[in-house]
Amino acid sequence: MAFASEFFASEFPIMHQEKVGAIIERLKIGQSSPQPAGRKSNTTVFAFTYDNGVVLAGDRRMTDGYYEIASDNTIKVKQLSKFSAIACAGSCNIIRYLEDNMEAVCAIFKERYQRELSPDGQANHLRNLMEGWWYFYVFYWYWSIGVPVLATYDLEMGQPRIFSFAEDGFYFEPSFLAGTGCGFETVRGLIVDRWREDLDADLAITLAVRAMIHSGVASHGVSDARIVPPKVALIDKEGFRWVPERLIIKKRDDLLKEIRGIRCLLC
């Protein structure tokens, strides 16, 4: 840590010392990558598997900075190929860069080889794209990186697969759940508690909507699903498809009828 302190002190001007200090603290052993005090990423995106498929969900809010709401109609789930999609949190510019590049690579591969780019190939390419932004993560605005979740259906393996990414491009393949954004931390336990390996698509959609309602209520700055319905998609052996908004609204309204105040919702 002494080397890191000396390096930052010599390489960065005085005006950045506050940010540098936060970075040095984050690099200490055992520290994660917390948001600055009082600031949130204003996003909830996640993906989890169900019986031979995967569901992706994303809230609808985009902010200008951290406090000013720019839109409550943003779509944070992006289809990449017939059997893959990503959902991202973080900087809009970097997210757009990742989405456009990944979509182009998947299309070019399909045109050239007449087959889908494999899930592992997509994950590796996404990692390479993210490595180009590692210096922001380490040296500057580490909360302004675009962080994706990649969801796919592997035709060769005959099963859904999810890839979870860190800010520096490192990724791993969790068993059934991945997500990012400040709102995801509030719903991780809820999803884990209610998830079952044999969930059918209908129950998976219900769980996704329930988690989004929970996130909007409990997490500051995240779009409230009670007001603006989230976007939800499924990927299975038939490919990517959006869940109709009318179905999401119906499930949301049915869930809200079951609860008796916020306390019950958060149980």
Side-chain angles (χ1 to χ4, degrees), residues 45-206:
V45 295
F46 55 79
F48 60 85
T49 61
Y50 61 91
D51 183 22
N52 211 31
V54 58
V55 58
L56 295 82
D59 73 280
R60 305 293 296 276
R61 175 159 296 176
M62 180 177 67
T63 57
D64 184 5
Y66 290 97
Y67 302 105
E68 182 178 348
I69 299 172
S71 172
D72 260 331
N73 197 34
T74 304
I75 298 176
K76 299 178 182 179
V77 175
K78 173 70 174 181
Q79 182 180 4
L80 301 178
S81 70
K82 183 177 180 180
F83 298 97
S84 66
I86 59 174
C88 302
S91 169
C92 295
N93 290 338
I94 298 178
I95 290 172
R96 177 60 62 86
Y97 164 79
L98 296 176
E99 290 177 345
D100 291 349
N101 197 299
M102 286 296 297
E103 185 178 26
V105 165
C106 289
I108 292 170
F109 189 93
K110 179 67 178 295
E111 181 179 359
R112 181 171 298 178
Y113 298 105
Q114 302 305 306
R115 58 181 298 178
E116 300 285 343
L117 179 60
S118 70
D120 292 289
Q122 293 183 45
N124 285 329
H125 186 69
L126 189 51
R127 177 199 61 195
N128 292 336
L129 293 176
M130 293 183 66
E131 285 179 348
W133 299 97
W134 72 272
Y135 54 88
F136 275 101
Y137 167 66
V138 176
F139 297 120
Y140 204 48
W141 289 311
Y142 56 88
W143 55 85
S144 294
I145 302 300
V147 182
V149 172
L150 173 64
T152 70
Y153 187 86
D154 193 318
L155 292 173
E156 293 188 4
M157 297 179 65
Q159 66 182 45
R161 299 176 65 187
I162 300 172
F163 299 87
S164 179
F165 287 78
E167 292 92 335
D168 58 359
F170 171 82
Y171 73 88
F172 69 99
E173 188 172 353
S175 58
F176 71 91
L177 171 66
T180 187
C182 69
F184 175 64
E185 297 307 316
T186 71
V187 301
R188 185 199 302 269
L190 182 151
I191 297 174
V192 170
D193 182 62
R194 294 174 178 268
W195 180 86
R196 299 293 183 270
E197 188 173 1
D198 60 349
L199 281 177
D200 61 22
D202 185 67
L203 289 176
I205 296 169
T206 300

Side-chain angles (χ1 to χ4, degrees), residues 250-262:
K250 182 180 186 306
K251 287 187 174 294
R252 179 198 64 186
D253 293 345
D254 289 343
L255 287 168
L256 291 175
K257 290 177 183 177
E258 294 177 6
I259 64 176
R260 299 174 182 173
I262 294 177

